[in-house]
Amino acid sequence: MKNNMMLPIIIIVIVLVVASLGLFAYNLFKDDGKDNPKKSSQSEELIEPQLKLELDDVNDGKEKVSINAEAYTDDEEGIKAIILPDGTQVDTTTISYEVTENGKYTFKVIGNNGKENSMSIEVQNIREASAEFPYIPEGFEHVGGEPDNGYIIEDKIGNQYVWVPVPNGKMTRNTMLDQDYIESTNTASALVNSVAKNYGFYIARFEASETEVNGTKAAASLPSKTPWTNITYLDAANVALKSASAFEYPDGYSTAIINSYAWDTTLKWIDEGNPNYSTTLNFGNYSGQIYPTGATESDIIYGICDLAGNVREWTTEIFKGATETSSKKGNKNNQEVVLYRVVRGGSASLNKTAGSHIGYPENTSENYWGFRTILYKE
């Protein structure tokens, strides 16, 4: 009788155990990921994004090269960003990155799924700076000559400049040890620094002529033009400085009125191939009449025109051997010192050599005084 009473209890216990096992199995099956997408995505291996890097131009002798980067992935979540070699993050899948030095450049790509990848590319075809390989600003073209005899470039409106090579990167200044002369302008210092890196600079092929670009006066370097005379040093220096902007030259390139370093370095280069050019009167126009720019055939040396004669040319150099004072607005008690700036070369009315120099008040002008610009890479 007792055994008959225990049988139903045993059956109930067995049923409960089986039910519990079934419920456990059901929960285990439920949690295996098929009904839980979130857990499934965490357990699956994420797809790494990829990069493709190419150089836009593999020719040797360039000053700069662009690296074209393309990011892609098979993950439907897509690309989040590309990190450039300089650390900049761009939210795009393609980009062109410009470099100016040879070396290894590493890019990183980040996917929206959080995965990252990196890839590097080696740049070897950028030309090293040297006197034998003049840089050419964007928008200019080489129109004649070679670096050792007058390498001429021209901008889109016809302004021409001649490369002055400086193989050792050190400029010449003949009055360096003369305490009566100083050269302290920012543009002179900038040119010296530029030449130390680039081993040369450009001098305007022609004496400056007056032109207007989009309502702004600028100093042109064009042939067969009337030289810009009757202009003070102050005005000439100001217009020369603004000419790069007026002509829309690319960023990183500047124009300025010529300084003593540029003048003396140019003469040293010319004298090496044309002995005594800077110290004789055999080249310039001293006829009494100013000729159009570039018209004096005897004074075209290495493509540079009229350094010796035609019009005398202002430079940034200061002559301390003479000073002058003037009153401001008629107030005799409010005096200012007028600097003397050095004028170089001779003119149609004055037989002076290309190497001559003398100071005049910077706020004066004369019928036979003009100026010339330089162009250099910052």
Side-chain angles (χ1 to χ4, degrees), residues 59-66 99-103 105 123-129:
N59 294 328
D60 291 335
K62 300 292 184 181
E63 292 178 49
K64 56 187 178 182
V65 168
S66 291
V99 298
T100 58
E101 296 180 358
N102 291 321
Y105 294 88
V123 176
Q124 298 177 326
N125 57 313
I126 293 178
R127 183 183 66 208
E128 300 294 335

Side-chain angles (χ1 to χ4, degrees), residues 49-60:
Q50 302 297 317
L51 270 171
K52 180 181 179 182
L53 302 179
E54 291 183 338
L55 300 179
D56 70 338
D57 193 337
V58 296
N59 294 328
D60 291 335

Side-chain angles (χ1 to χ4, degrees), residues 203-369:
I203 184 173
R205 187 181 185 193
F206 305 102
E207 295 162 328
S209 55
E210 184 176 359
T211 190
E212 188 171 302
V213 184
N214 298 323
T216 301
K217 284 187 177 182
S221 176
L222 298 168
S224 304
K225 299 294 183 180
T226 301
W228 193 344
T229 59
N230 281 313
I231 185 170
T232 68
Y233 164 81
L234 296 173
D235 289 339
N238 183 54
V239 75
L241 196 63
K242 294 180 178 180
S243 292
S245 176
F247 293 134
E248 299 180 342
Y249 291 166
D251 292 341
Y253 292 89
S254 294
T255 52
I257 192 170
I258 195 168
N259 56 63
S260 59
Y261 287 103
W263 191 280
D264 289 335
T265 300
T266 300
L267 289 186
K268 178 184 177 182
W269 173 55
I270 291 175
D271 281 343
E272 289 173 353
N274 302 270
N276 304 318
Y277 170 79
S278 64
T279 57
T280 67
L281 296 173
N282 298 331
F283 300 96
N285 167 30
Y286 310 114
S287 67
Q289 177 184 351
I290 296 175
Y291 293 157
T293 54
T296 306
E297 292 185 5
S298 61
D299 202 4
I300 304 176
I301 309 294
Y302 289 165
I304 306 170
C305 304
D306 304 315
L307 271 179
N310 209 37
V311 300
R312 307 190 81 185
E313 300 181 27
W314 286 112
T315 69
T316 61
E317 191 172 30
I318 296 172
F319 177 54
K320 295 177 62 179
T323 58
E324 184 177 297
T325 60
S326 63
S327 60
K328 292 183 178 180
K329 298 181 179 179
N331 184 354
K332 294 182 179 180
N333 296 321
N334 190 5
Q335 301 291 309
E336 66 177 351
V337 175
V338 176
L339 296 177
Y340 275 53
R341 300 285 178 171
V342 173
V343 175
R344 303 297 299 260
S347 72
S349 66
L350 184 65
N351 291 16
K352 289 286 185 179
T353 66
S356 67
H357 49 83
I358 188 170
Y360 290 99
E362 65 181 9
N363 59 356
T364 58
S365 61
E366 212 266 359
N367 290 340
Y368 292 89
W369 297 351

Side-chain angles (χ1 to χ4, degrees), residues 26 78 90 371:
Y26 172 78
V90 291
F371 66 103

